[in-house]
Amino acid sequence: MLARGLTETESEDELYSRQVVTFRRPIPSVVEGPLWETLMRIAQVAPPFESVPPTRYGGTERVVSLLTEELVRRGHEVTLFASGDSTTSARLVPTVDSALWRLDEVRDALPYWTITVGEAYRRARDGEFDIMHSHLDFQAFACAALSATPTVTTLHGRLDLTDLKRLYARFPEAGVISISDNQREPLPDARWLGTVYNAVDVDHLPFNPRGGEYLAYLGRISPEKGLDRAIRVAALAGMPLKVAARMPLMDTSNPVIRADWEYYEGAIKPLLKSGHVELIGEIGDAEKPELLGNALALLFPIDWPEPFGLVMPEAMACGTPVVARRRGSVPEVVTHGVTGLIGDTDEELAALCRAVHTIDRRVCRAEAVTRFSPSVMAAGYEKLYREARSGTPQGTGAGLRVWRDAIDPELTRTLTG
Amino acid sequence: MLARGLTETESEDELYSRQVVTFRRPIPSVVEGPLWETLMRIAQVAPPFESVPPTRYGGTERVVSLLTEELVRRGHEVTLFASGDSTTSARLVPTVDSALWRLDEVRDALPYWTITVGEAYRRARDGEFDIMHSHLDFQAFACAALSATPTVTTLHGRLDLTDLKRLYARFPEAGVISISDNQREPLPDARWLGTVYNAVDVDHLPFNPRGGEYLAYLGRISPEKGLDRAIRVAALAGMPLKVAARMPLMDTSNPVIRADWEYYEGAIKPLLKSGHVELIGEIGDAEKPELLGNALALLFPIDWPEPFGLVMPEAMACGTPVVARRRGSVPEVVTHGVTGLIGDTDEELAALCRAVHTIDRRVCRAEAVTRFSPSVMAAGYEKLYREARSGTPQGTGAGLRVWRDAIDPELTRTLTG
């Protein structure tokens, strides 16, 4: 199934596309006889807000789903603690009947976090697992300290709160995994085990070798995501902009939601009058390949320390380069000049948009596959699980970018060559 | 120091007052040689929002303080997990430098709950305690299930949320203590160990044998506390009303606070124009004896299932009877016709205010001392700690009203006779 010659009807691009898509195929051999990995009984502990995978929004649940399915595929015995409407090939332990946002009468989310932690660690106490993988921020720390089964925690959010500084000072033993090196900055003294980049579903984000003429924006309408800047940059570049985003809710009781609404009314609506912006509303996974694959570039002009930014590798998987602001994880996820272009001011970003056609779309695809495939993410986590179980001492930098070790360098060369 | 004859300058009331105040004195003998109780190493785990004891508001922290000090006095080795600005004769483990509400930069309270649980159960793991007493609602349940040291949890709040039903179904083993029997109603299937009524600081709420002419209101200005009703009832009864309450904050971002403000502006302000209401603002512990002791009655016309209502025994300790609505814990805390009068409509309550002078103020004081003294509360908790340690099977009703067993019935007769 790996490389084969061109058929008469196939372009080189199409062959290439097939090759990288099939890159993951050889790995099932670990099920029969693991090469570098011992099979483990793994608990994946997900938040209860959204199902795994999520219906639409929910970056954490999306990543947990990809990781869980890939670990199962690799032969591990995986138990997923998640809402009861989740779909998985692992064993599912429902923490609540359905995702919290679907339930009436949820006035306090905290009981469901407690249920989740309780269900997971009660089973750990009974010896059901070799490793606990928590996606609950710091919520499992107190139980983890009592449990004979080691716990690793992936931190999915931003960490620049004073409250968290105080928390981590009290849990120096809690082993945590970053989703970008940059994410660690506010908490340099936490016990960092490694960085494992999030994966995207490269199989369902097919390579589009040609792309198109417009810039794409995909994300929430909120000040930190910078839609206003995207509109201005596209105007300066003289390019059309397609915006896929849900309208903010007009909810006056939640200050965060109200801020998003005010941002839309005050900063976005006036800009929409110019003719170069097309608002296409909220889109699901099925519509992403069309929006992203047919774009000239993804515009990602954020104004906050984004800890990862899944939409960047999603675009890259489709072959679409990224024009982004130098904030948070951006310089790690996008390789400047290779898979995108990174700038700062509106004028810079506009110039980069005019230059972005020089980026090789095949390399974007290859980087997405090489660095952001579920198999690569799973290999990174397997390494950290193994180290946590063996009690390997971890320095702050020791586990950095574990994906680099976890994948076959020869394959990397072939793909990015 | 116990009973002695009248001196020439002393009235019968004064003697009586001295007697009930000195009622607690004999108990230190348990330190030398415990009569009915084994000394224990006890962890008291308090929320981090407010110091123990609290500066002003904070019913939970007030009760935790009284319990902690009394348990120390009885010879137990007590460790208090609380904010660093707490004051205690127990060993203090600070969970945060100072009470959360005093700190700048607190945007999320959850890390501090996690710190509190983590600090307490790490020490439990190391064998430091015989019993864990959590005041953190359900927050310690997951750790409690992992700990070899038994945990009891006093629930200080209302329990009528669907979220809590779902939670308790997942923690059938979590032993919980109610502060009134009525509080249990929404969760009949939780593992109730007993009811222990909250105590008030009877030593600092001196008996006022005479009282006065006005009705007193002490509590938050919010719809469920019923200040509007208090004002109407006082008007119907033709009596002056003194209101001790903090103004609600004019904060529009928090819906609960906004509701209180709107209630003040819409329902209270117009009523204040009538001449019979005097607003004296927020008062501290030092000013309570004057307001409560000099009142004819405490007016407590609540409109919610109050789980306890500390101000009722506070008034009773000063000798002041209570006129209250039949809601929540009221019929348990106030004995109708003995320490107060209970009704429902405004007209009924007004009639009761006119009749309340018939209540014997000495009996109010005696009931407060007999049922709501720190020593009585501590004896109730000692019983439940002992049962939790010995694994005594508990039925739903088994531990009900443990204070009745814990105190000397002879003394009760003397005091209330």
Side-chain angles (χ1 to χ4, degrees):
Chain A
M1 280 294 288
L2 264 175
R4 64 175 173 94
L6 283 172
T7 66
E8 286 169 67
T9 57
E10 217 166 29
S11 73
E12 202 176 334
D13 279 342
E14 282 164 337
L15 168 64
Y16 185 83
S17 171
R18 265 198 300 110
Q19 276 187 326
V20 293
V21 168
T22 54
F23 147 76
R24 285 171 52 201
R25 297 289 148 73
I27 294 181
S29 63
V30 297
V31 180
E32 287 93 52
L35 291 178
W36 67 80
E37 185 51 70
T38 313
L39 295 182
M40 288 175 267
R41 299 170 303 156
I42 302 168
Q44 291 292 335
V45 190
F49 288 117
E50 177 53 286
S51 59
V52 175
T55 315
R56 298 218 148 175
Y57 290 90
T60 301
E61 293 79 6
R62 194 177 300 278
V63 169
V64 172
S65 175
L66 290 171
L67 175 60
T68 298
E69 298 313 304
E70 180 62 21
L71 290 170
V72 170
R73 204 180 67 81
R74 293 160 92 93
H76 299 288
E77 188 185 311
V78 186
T79 302
L80 174 64
F81 296 86
S83 67
D85 52 352
S86 297
T87 312
T88 180
S89 51
R91 173 173 70 138
L92 177 66
V93 175
T95 51
V96 56
D97 289 346
S98 79
L100 288 197
W101 71 269
R102 290 182 190 278
L103 287 178
D104 289 337
E105 296 189 75
V106 172
R107 286 174 53 188
D108 183 5
L110 212 47
Y112 305 96
W113 292 87
T114 302
I115 288 172
T116 304
V117 174
E119 291 288 348
Y121 281 87
R122 190 182 291 131
R123 284 174 171 79
R125 179 198 62 195
D126 297 342
E128 288 192 22
F129 308 117
D130 299 312
I131 186 84
M132 311 294 292
H133 188 173
S134 166
H135 301 272
L136 307 179
D137 283 318
F138 54 80
Q139 298 260 11
F141 284 3
C143 277
L146 304 183
S147 178
T149 312
T151 298
V152 299
T153 298
T154 296
L155 298 173
H156 292 273
R158 65 190 290 180
L159 304 175
D160 52 344
L161 289 181
T162 304
D163 306 315
L164 293 180
K165 274 194 205 306
R166 296 194 183 109
L167 177 88
Y168 280 86
R170 300 297 190 106
F171 289 96
E173 79 287 1
V176 285
I177 299 168
S178 38
I179 55 175
S180 67
D181 293 353
N182 179 272
Q183 184 197 25
R184 300 180 177 192
E185 217 161 72
L187 294 174
D189 297 328
R191 187 167 160 246
W192 294 108
L193 305 177
T195 291
V196 181
Y197 291 127
N198 282 337
V200 297
D201 191 359
V202 290
D203 285 350
H204 294 99
L205 293 161
F207 179 50
N208 179 327
R210 270 159 291 267
E213 304 294 322
Y214 63 87
L215 302 169
Y217 174 98
L218 175 55
R220 278 182 297 114
I221 297 182
S222 65
E224 70 268 24
K225 292 284 185 181
L227 176 55
D228 60 321
R229 194 180 290 265
I231 297 173
R232 286 197 305 271
V233 167
L236 282 170
M239 292 175 175
L241 177 71
K242 287 198 185 185
V243 175
R246 183 176 58 179
M247 285 298 102
L249 303 172
M250 202 174 51
D251 180 328
T252 50
S253 72
N254 181 320
V256 176
I257 296 175
R258 199 177 60 243
D260 283 358
W261 176 256
E262 286 168 1
Y263 170 73
Y264 173 71
E265 287 286 321
I268 299 301
K269 251 187 164 173
L271 293 176
L272 291 179
K273 288 182 191 116
S274 63
H276 70 297
V277 187
E278 185 187 350
L279 211 59
I280 63 172
E282 188 181 4
I283 65 170
D285 285 344
E287 298 138 294
K288 280 183 184 172
E290 195 190 319
L291 174 77
L292 295 174
N294 290 322
L296 173 68
L298 174 78
L299 199 44
F300 197 65
I302 51 167
D303 197 25
W304 74 303
E306 177 81 56
F308 186 76
L310 276 173
V311 69
M312 292 187 284
E314 282 175 343
M316 286 156 62
C318 299
T320 300
V322 181
V323 175
R325 283 187 91 207
R326 198 186 318 283
R327 292 285 182 281
S329 64
V330 164
E332 289 175 68
V333 176
V334 174
T335 308
H336 183 62
V338 178
T339 55
L341 296 168
I342 302 174
D344 198 50
T345 65
D346 292 2
E347 290 69 22
E348 271 173 27
L349 295 173
L352 297 178
C353 287
R354 285 190 296 262
V356 76
H357 65 274
T358 60
I359 298 288
D360 187 340
R361 294 181 67 92
R362 294 178 308 175
V363 175
C364 293
R365 171 71 191 181
E367 275 258 303
V369 172
T370 315
R371 298 179 61 201
F372 306 114
S373 283
S375 56
V376 174
M377 175 173 68
Y381 279 119
E382 281 171 342
K383 177 173 183 289
L384 296 182
Y385 298 162
R386 203 168 49 230
E387 290 174 355
R389 289 180 63 200
S390 67
T392 309
Q394 295 295 327
T396 297
L400 269 179
R401 293 202 182 80
V402 291
W403 64 270
R404 289 208 192 280
D405 311 327
I407 59 168
D408 177 355
E410 187 57 38
L411 188 58
T412 311
R413 258 192 300 281
T414 314
L415 289 169
T416 57
Chain B
M1 282 293 288
L2 263 175
R4 64 175 174 95
L6 285 172
T7 66
E8 284 168 71
T9 57
E10 217 168 28
S11 71
E12 203 175 332
D13 280 341
E14 281 163 338
L15 169 64
Y16 185 83
S17 171
R18 264 198 302 111
Q19 274 187 330
V20 293
V21 170
T22 52
F23 139 76
R24 287 169 52 199
R25 296 290 148 72
I27 293 178
S29 63
V30 296
V31 181
E32 287 92 51
L35 292 177
W36 67 82
E37 183 52 70
T38 313
L39 296 183
M40 289 176 267
R41 298 170 305 157
I42 303 168
Q44 290 294 335
V45 191
F49 289 117
E50 177 53 288
S51 60
V52 174
T55 315
R56 297 218 149 173
Y57 289 89
T60 301
E61 291 79 5
R62 195 177 299 278
V63 169
V64 172
S65 175
L66 290 172
L67 176 60
T68 298
E69 298 312 303
E70 180 62 22
L71 289 170
V72 170
R73 206 181 65 82
R74 292 159 94 91
H76 299 288
E77 188 184 312
V78 186
T79 302
L80 173 63
F81 296 86
S83 66
D85 51 353
S86 297
T87 311
T88 181
S89 51
R91 173 172 70 137
L92 177 67
V93 176
T95 50
V96 57
D97 288 347
S98 78
L100 290 196
W101 71 269
R102 291 182 190 277
L103 288 178
D104 290 338
E105 297 188 77
V106 173
R107 285 175 53 188
D108 183 5
L110 213 48
Y112 304 96
W113 292 88
T114 302
I115 289 172
T116 304
V117 175
E119 292 287 348
Y121 281 87
R122 189 182 291 132
R123 285 176 170 78
R125 179 196 64 195
D126 298 341
E128 288 193 22
F129 308 117
D130 299 312
I131 185 84
M132 311 293 292
H133 188 172
S134 165
H135 301 273
L136 307 178
D137 283 318
F138 53 81
Q139 299 261 10
F141 283 4
C143 277
L146 304 183
S147 178
T149 312
T151 298
V152 300
T153 298
T154 296
L155 299 171
H156 292 273
R158 63 191 292 180
L159 303 174
D160 52 344
L161 289 180
T162 304
D163 306 313
L164 292 179
K165 273 194 207 306
R166 297 195 182 107
L167 176 88
Y168 280 86
R170 301 297 189 105
F171 290 97
E173 79 287 0
V176 284
I177 300 168
S178 38
I179 54 175
S180 67
D181 293 353
N182 180 273
Q183 185 197 24
R184 301 181 177 192
E185 219 161 70
L187 294 173
D189 298 329
R191 187 167 161 247
W192 294 107
L193 305 178
T195 291
V196 181
Y197 292 127
N198 283 336
V200 296
D201 191 0
V202 291
D203 285 350
H204 294 99
L205 294 160
F207 179 51
N208 179 326
R210 270 159 290 269
E213 304 293 320
Y214 63 87
L215 303 169
Y217 174 98
L218 175 56
R220 277 182 296 117
I221 296 182
S222 66
E224 72 268 22
K225 294 284 187 180
L227 176 55
D228 59 320
R229 194 181 288 266
I231 297 172
R232 286 196 305 272
V233 167
L236 282 170
M239 291 175 175
L241 177 69
K242 286 197 185 184
V243 175
R246 183 176 57 181
M247 284 301 101
L249 302 172
M250 202 173 51
D251 180 331
T252 51
S253 72
N254 181 321
V256 175
I257 296 175
R258 199 176 61 243
D260 283 359
W261 177 255
E262 286 167 2
Y263 169 74
Y264 173 71
E265 287 287 319
I268 299 301
K269 250 187 165 174
L271 293 176
L272 291 179
K273 288 181 190 116
S274 63
H276 70 296
V277 187
E278 183 188 353
L279 211 61
I280 61 171
E282 188 180 5
I283 65 169
D285 285 344
E287 298 138 295
K288 280 183 184 173
E290 195 190 320
L291 174 78
L292 296 173
N294 290 322
L296 173 68
L298 174 78
L299 198 44
F300 197 64
I302 51 167
D303 197 25
W304 76 301
E306 176 82 56
F308 187 76
L310 276 173
V311 68
M312 292 187 284
E314 284 175 341
M316 286 155 62
C318 299
T320 301
V322 181
V323 173
R325 282 186 91 206
R326 197 185 320 282
R327 291 285 181 282
S329 64
V330 165
E332 289 176 68
V333 176
V334 175
T335 308
H336 182 62
V338 177
T339 55
L341 296 167
I342 301 175
D344 199 50
T345 64
D346 292 2
E347 290 70 22
E348 270 173 28
L349 294 174
L352 296 178
C353 288
R354 286 189 295 263
V356 76
H357 66 274
T358 60
I359 299 287
D360 187 339
R361 295 182 67 92
R362 293 179 308 176
V363 176
C364 293
R365 170 73 191 180
E367 275 259 303
V369 171
T370 316
R371 298 179 63 202
F372 306 114
S373 283
S375 56
V376 174
M377 174 173 70
Y381 279 120
E382 280 171 344
K383 177 173 182 291
L384 295 181
Y385 298 162
R386 204 167 50 227
E387 289 174 356
R389 289 181 62 199
S390 68
T392 308
Q394 294 296 325
T396 296
L400 268 178
R401 293 203 184 80
V402 291
W403 64 269
R404 287 206 194 282
D405 311 327
I407 58 169
D408 177 355
E410 187 59 37
L411 187 58
T412 311
R413 257 193 300 282
T414 313
L415 289 169
T416 57

